[in-house]
């Protein structure tokens, strides 16, 4: 990449999304952060990102579960920077329950955020990327985009759908300098995961190390969490010119989970 690119990363006020914007900022991109937290809460993070980047960073407080929220996000990016060159569909939620007890509103919410929001953002940015002849779309799916686990019907369906959307759009835009890929992480060490550990240890009557190894990382052969920095590094690589032949791919970053 030679000139300054603009990246929109959904759900980037914490966890993986925040790690990805930090990685993008380090290579000088303009950044559009997004989340559901109020702007005053995110302002210190935004300032930090801007300091690293040398480019600009804006935060868009928008609920992208609704198409109007996606409109707000993309128009904020276009008003601030004039284009969206990199789109990362990262925002996601989870709910765990047997299918016959799965609350219908939770199903609708998970499909809306984890799958439909990525369709709406993609639909909005592809014309601009085609016009400029360059673009990168990165969908943060999951190992659950490739294999299933019980009690996660909505999440697994949405993430498999996101992998399908990735392949379809990749084929449609392949001759326009645009790549579309999914990253499929296993368990990633984020504040959300870290916070569950003491309670799970107490509930199971086991140590925190045993929770990590035998509960959370039961399916992850390396018995190591994926780091947010690993996720950022892959996203950065997919944005490089060296990655211009990688498209329509679903890249597992899961310590060997889906190899089993
Ligand atoms: P997180 O809970 O730390 O962050 C979620 C982000 O999404 C926050 O910025 C939040 O503001 C935003 N968000 C939530 N609802 C939103 C809405 N309606 N509109 C806009 N933004 C919204 O999550 P995370 O663990 O970093 O996960 C990020 C993505 O990675 C998700 O798609 C998740 O499914 C996927 N993933 C995570 C893991 C993991 O172990 N953490 C593993 C596989 C896949």
């Amino acid at each position: 990449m030679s000139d300054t690119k603009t990246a929109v990363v959904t759900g980037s006020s914490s966890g993986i999304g925040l790690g990805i914007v930090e990685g993008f900022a380090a290579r000088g991109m303009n950044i559009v952060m997004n989340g559901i937290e109020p702007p005053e809460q995110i302002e210190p993070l935004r300032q930090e990102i801007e300091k690293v980047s040398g480019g600009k960073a804006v935060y868009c407080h928008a609920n992208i579960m609704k198409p109007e929220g996606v409109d707000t996000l993309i128009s904020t990016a276009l008003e601030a920077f004039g284009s969206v060159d990199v789109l990362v569909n990262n925002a996601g939620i989870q709910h765990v329950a047997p299918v016959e007890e799965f609350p219908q509103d939770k199903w609708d919410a998970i499909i809306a955020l984890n799958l439909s929001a990525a369709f709406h953002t993609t639909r909005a940015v592809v014309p601009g990327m085609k016009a400029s002849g360059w673009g990168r779309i990165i969908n943060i799916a999951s190992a659950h985009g490739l294999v299933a686990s019980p009690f996660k019907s909505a999440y697994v369906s949405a993430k498999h759908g996101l992998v399908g959307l990735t392949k379809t759009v990749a084929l449609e835009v392949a001759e326009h300098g645009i790549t579309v890929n999914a990253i499929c992480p296993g368990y990633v060490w984020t504040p959300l995961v870290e916070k569950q550990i003491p309670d799970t240890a107490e509930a199971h009557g086991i140590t925190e190390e045993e929770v990590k190894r035998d509960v959370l990382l039961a399916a992850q052969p390396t018995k190591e969490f994926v780091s947010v920095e690993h996720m950022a590094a892959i996203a950065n690589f997919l944005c490089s010119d060296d990655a211009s032949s990688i498209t329509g791919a679903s890249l597992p970053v899961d310590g060997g989970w889906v190899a089993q």
Side-chain angles (χ1 to χ4, degrees):
M1 275 191 318
S2 45
D3 49 339
T4 302
K5 303 289 190 195
T6 295
V8 171
V9 182
T10 70
S12 47
S13 54
S14 79
I16 295 170
L18 180 58
I20 289 175
V21 295
E22 284 170 349
F24 285 171
R27 65 189 291 168
M29 291 192 201
N30 291 322
I31 304 289
V32 181
M33 300 171 72
N34 158 250
I36 47 172
E37 297 79 8
E40 54 279 14
Q41 188 182 323
I42 304 305
E43 182 54 19
L45 279 177
R46 190 203 64 78
Q47 286 181 15
E48 232 171 87
I49 298 290
E50 197 163 76
K51 217 186 289 167
V52 176
S53 160
K56 287 260 165 220
V58 299
Y59 172 68
C60 179
H61 175 214
N63 175 4
I64 61 162
M65 222 180 263
K66 300 181 177 160
E68 309 87 82
V70 170
D71 292 345
T72 303
L73 176 60
I74 302 302
S75 55
T76 299
L78 293 177
E79 273 161 34
F81 303 117
S83 68
V84 176
D85 308 296
V86 175
L87 168 68
V88 181
N89 289 305
N90 167 74
I93 48 170
Q94 171 68 289
H95 185 80
V96 179
V99 69
E100 68 274 27
E101 291 164 20
F102 210 93
Q104 285 156 312
D105 61 335
K106 295 282 186 205
W107 169 277
D108 289 343
I110 290 172
I111 299 296
L113 184 62
N114 297 17
L115 177 57
S116 301
F119 159 72
H120 293 296
T121 53
T122 299
R123 186 174 179 279
V125 303
V126 159
M129 289 180 175
K130 277 186 174 173
S132 72
W134 195 94
R136 294 287 186 266
I137 299 175
I138 301 170
N139 294 322
I140 307 302
S142 165
H144 283 123
L146 303 171
V147 296
S149 295
F151 313 125
K152 297 183 175 176
S153 53
Y155 188 84
V156 170
S157 300
K159 295 296 188 180
H160 275 67
L162 190 55
V163 166
L165 178 69
T166 302
K167 292 180 188 175
T168 307
V169 180
L171 297 179
E172 292 183 23
V173 300
E175 292 184 54
H176 295 273
I178 307 167
T179 68
V180 188
N181 292 291
I183 304 176
C184 298
Y187 266 105
V188 184
W189 186 251
T190 62
L192 204 79
V193 172
E194 192 176 356
K195 271 188 243 145
Q196 300 168 20
I197 290 176
D199 285 350
T200 313
E202 207 178 313
H204 288 254
I206 55 179
T207 67
E208 295 193 7
E209 275 316 302
E210 286 167 333
V211 170
K212 287 187 203 169
R213 191 186 163 81
D214 301 331
V215 180
L216 295 177
L217 297 177
Q220 208 147 298
T222 54
K223 303 297 174 197
E224 300 279 349
F225 287 93
V226 175
S227 72
V228 162
E229 290 75 18
H230 288 153
M231 294 293 293
I234 303 280
N236 255 329
F237 175 66
L238 287 173
C239 290
S240 70
D241 289 333
D242 286 338
S244 59
S245 289
I246 303 175
T247 195
S250 303
L251 305 169
V253 183
D254 65 357
W257 180 336
V258 305
Q260 297 172 94

